[in-house]
Amino acid sequence: MELTLQPVLEAVPHQVTDLESLRHEYVSLIEQKNALEMRVLKSEERRRALMHILNDLNTVNRKLADQRKAMIHILADYEHDRSHLASQTERLDNSRRALLHILQDSHQSNLRLENSRKAMIHIMSDLKETTEEVQQREQELREKQEQLVQAGKLATLGELTTGVAHELNNPLNNIGLFIGNAIDLIELGMTDPNPERILQELHNAMHQVHKATEIISHLRTFGRATSVSREPVGISQVIRRALSLVQEQLRLRQIEVKLLIPEEEVFVMGNAIQLEQVFINLLTNARDAMVHSTRKIIAIECTKQGNIVDIHFSDTGAGIPVGLEQRIFDPFFTTKEVGAGTGLGLSITYGIIKEHQGAIVVENCSDEGALFLIQLPLEHDEM
């Protein structure tokens, strides 16, 4: 940088003319110039340093700008994460509240379940007691039913006394006749005995003894209390045994019996004595219903329908009064005159058929009399 002396000379007062003074002034100016140059150099260095600082500041500013942008992205991500975290916190808080409600409901449910369990225990206890009481009542009812059936059998035997006595009287008279013939043959043929004739008369007498014994045995079997055991029973055999007890009464009243029974025996699972009592009750009931009938016929027909046996039992009596078709099976209900019946026969019959898993219905015939239809399941082997 060049410095001119013109400004300096103009500044010097005109009174200073002394060279020495000028020299001093010159030296002073030189020193000032050097000082100024040094200051200029230092200023230039400071400028360069300032430029470097400005460049560094610019670089720093760019870095700061980049960092600011990065910080903005970081803040945006942070805000997004904060919002997401806040949303998750809210959901967690809602879930916590819901879980609390669920736990409360679960607790209430557990309390209700506990109360229900206690109530169920009481119900089961009451049910057990009720079941035991029902079983006891059923046992008592079965015992009463058995007693009623036994009473009905005894009543039936009482009604059959006359016929049974006549049934026994015939073989006894025959025994006396055959024994008398044998005695006569022995007495008359002492010189010329005829052993073949005498043996024949004695055999005939023994046959009548067996017949009387069979009747008594049948009465004893029918009259005793029977167990509730079940076994294969032939229907034809039961019907014929029932007829053997009442046939004399039917004969004396001129009642004809028509049997339409298959040649091949039909078996059901049941109790022979109880089923025999059913047919005896129906036979005596038909006997009494035909007291005033001019045509006296009892028809018994047995047919198989699939796994069921149908037994049709009809008579030519007065029939069932209208409206009483179901009441006739009620205990102690009877359409007979006072003292002429106990009202137990058809009730016992109905109960026995039901115990055998069967059914019994009654209806009036189209022309005259009543028709009883009994249905019983066949033995499993016949199905």
Side-chain angles (χ1 to χ4, degrees), residues 185-203:
L185 287 173
I186 293 173
E187 290 178 348
L188 295 176
M190 294 180 66
T191 57
D192 185 17
N194 189 355
E196 290 79 7
R197 178 74 181 274
I198 295 173
L199 287 176
Q200 181 63 41
E201 295 295 335
L202 292 176
H203 281 305

Side-chain angles (χ1 to χ4, degrees), residues 14-25:
H14 295 289
Q15 295 87 358
V16 180
T17 58
D18 188 43
L19 288 176
E20 190 64 30
S21 298
L22 287 172
R23 189 181 295 115
H24 286 292
E25 292 291 336

Side-chain angles (χ1 to χ4, degrees), residues 53-288:
I53 291 170
L54 290 175
N55 288 332
D56 293 339
L57 287 174
N58 191 20
T59 301
V60 171
N61 285 333
R62 284 197 298 272
K63 291 180 179 180
L64 288 174
D66 294 338
Q67 291 176 352
R68 185 180 63 83
K69 292 178 181 179
M71 185 62 70
I72 290 173
H73 286 295
I74 291 172
L75 290 174
D77 293 339
Y78 170 76
E79 182 64 23
H80 177 72
D81 292 340
R82 190 188 64 80
S83 300
H84 183 66
L85 183 60
S87 177
Q88 287 184 339
T89 302
E90 184 178 0
R91 286 197 297 270
L92 286 173
D93 189 56
N94 293 333
S95 299
R96 185 182 62 82
R97 293 193 184 95
L99 182 60
L100 287 176
H101 286 296
I102 291 173
L103 289 175
Q104 291 176 355
D105 293 340
S106 177
H107 180 66
Q108 294 296 327
S109 298
N110 289 333
L111 292 178
R112 288 194 294 269
L113 285 174
E114 181 65 20
N115 293 332
S116 299
R117 187 183 66 85
K118 293 178 181 178
M120 185 62 69
I121 290 174
H122 288 295
I123 292 173
M124 293 298 293
S125 178
D126 294 340
L127 183 60
K128 182 180 179 182
E129 294 178 358
T130 303
T131 303
E132 292 176 353
E133 186 176 354
V134 169
Q135 292 175 349
Q136 183 180 356
R137 294 293 182 270
E138 288 179 351
Q139 181 63 28
E140 293 176 357
L141 184 61
R142 283 193 294 268
E143 293 175 357
K144 296 299 182 184
Q145 180 70 18
E146 293 174 2
Q147 294 175 4
L148 185 63
V149 170
Q150 186 65 18
K153 287 196 294 184
L154 295 177
T156 302
L157 285 176
E159 294 181 8
L160 300 177
T161 301
T162 303
V164 171
H166 190 277
E167 286 288 321
L168 288 175
N169 192 47
N170 284 336
L172 290 176
N173 289 333
N174 292 333
I175 291 170
L177 178 62
F178 292 136
I179 296 296
N181 291 338
I183 293 173
D184 291 340
L185 287 173
I186 293 173
E187 290 178 348
L188 295 176
M190 294 180 66
T191 57
D192 185 17
N194 189 355
E196 290 79 7
R197 178 74 181 274
I198 295 173
L199 287 176
Q200 181 63 41
E201 295 295 335
L202 292 176
H203 281 305
N204 291 336
M206 287 301 299
H207 178 71
Q208 296 299 318
V209 170
H210 290 312
K211 185 176 181 181
T213 303
E214 183 180 353
I215 294 173
I216 295 173
S217 176
H218 188 190
L219 288 174
R220 291 177 60 186
T221 302
F222 179 76
R224 71 168 181 259
T226 59
S227 62
V228 293
S229 60
R230 297 286 185 266
E231 59 184 5
V233 176
I235 290 296
S236 300
Q237 183 180 4
V238 172
I239 294 175
R240 294 185 189 279
R241 288 175 64 88
L243 281 171
S244 68
L245 287 178
V246 297
Q247 63 184 358
E248 183 61 23
Q249 293 192 22
L250 299 179
R251 187 187 66 82
L252 293 175
R253 290 170 174 79
Q254 299 178 345
I255 297 175
E256 178 185 359
V257 178
K258 294 182 178 180
L259 283 179
L260 299 175
I261 299 176
E263 294 182 0
E264 182 180 358
E265 184 63 274
V266 178
F267 289 93
V268 298
M269 187 62 67
N271 186 286
I273 300 299
Q274 290 183 347
L275 291 176
E276 184 178 342
Q277 184 176 4
V278 166
F279 293 113
I280 290 176
N281 289 340
L282 293 178
L283 286 169
T284 55
N285 190 70
R287 176 202 65 190
D288 296 338

